[in-house]
Amino acid sequence: MDPKPRPAADPSAAARATDLIAAVEDALAAAREAAPTAPAPFFRDPAPVTAPAAGNALPVVQPGRAPMSQRATDASVVMLAAGAGTLMAGTGAGLALWALAGIDPVTLALAAGAPVAVVAALARLVRRTGQAAAQAAPVTHHHTYAGPVTQTHRTTSQTARGLIARTTVKNAR
């Protein structure tokens, strides 16, 4: 079902279309006959190759970075990165010192010395606690035996020789 009814075909329009198609086909046939044949898109030289493929000229230094091994290239990248890191750390330290230039020296000394004093006090406290534990009376063991007792204490050591050596100590009782 067409929404719009088509008008009846005009016989003169069909004749004009047929004449147009015939004229185009005649023009294409005439163009094919008049055109020369197209050359091949490539040329293959049948002669054997006598010269070296890479040439025999000496190498010439090219502009830019000098040719290096992969290891040297990696090392240079690490050096450049370390230089950039040093530059950033130095710049940060310089900015911090510039900012601290306006602060009172006594206040700066107290602020910088307080953490060191706290760490020193804690270290002394830990050391004194360890000394007190070492000075405590050692624990005495009392063993009661119901018969003759023989105690033997032997220490044997064996030293291995070589690049990596392990000393084995065996206690026999």
Side-chain angles (χ1 to χ4, degrees):
M1 294 179 31
D2 274 338
K4 295 183 184 176
R6 290 188 177 180
D10 184 13
S12 63
R16 282 185 285 170
T18 305
D19 290 341
L20 180 63
I21 292 172
V24 169
E25 288 177 353
D26 291 339
L28 286 174
R32 282 191 205 114
E33 291 174 4
T37 57
F42 62 90
F43 173 75
R44 182 180 298 262
D45 187 7
V49 178
T50 57
N56 55 6
L58 294 175
V60 178
V61 176
Q62 301 296 317
R65 279 189 165 184
M68 297 185 282
S69 67
Q70 185 63 43
R71 184 175 177 192
T73 303
D74 294 343
S76 69
V77 168
V78 168
M79 285 185 261
L80 289 172
T86 304
L87 177 68
M88 288 186 283
T91 303
L95 287 174
L97 291 174
W98 177 75
L100 292 174
I103 296 177
D104 181 35
V106 174
T107 306
L108 183 61
L110 289 175
V116 175
V118 169
V119 169
L122 287 176
R124 182 165 174 101
L125 177 66
V126 168
R127 187 174 61 235
R128 294 284 295 193
T129 305
Q131 288 174 353
Q135 290 175 357
V139 178
T140 306
H141 295 280
H142 295 283
H143 301 281
T144 305
Y145 300 101
V149 175
T150 302
Q151 288 187 344
T152 305
H153 181 74
R154 287 184 294 164
T155 302
T156 60
S157 65
Q158 177 182 6
T159 304
R161 301 191 189 279
L163 182 63
I164 299 174
R166 177 184 294 169
T167 302
T168 305
V169 177
K170 296 180 181 178
N171 291 328
R173 288 191 175 170

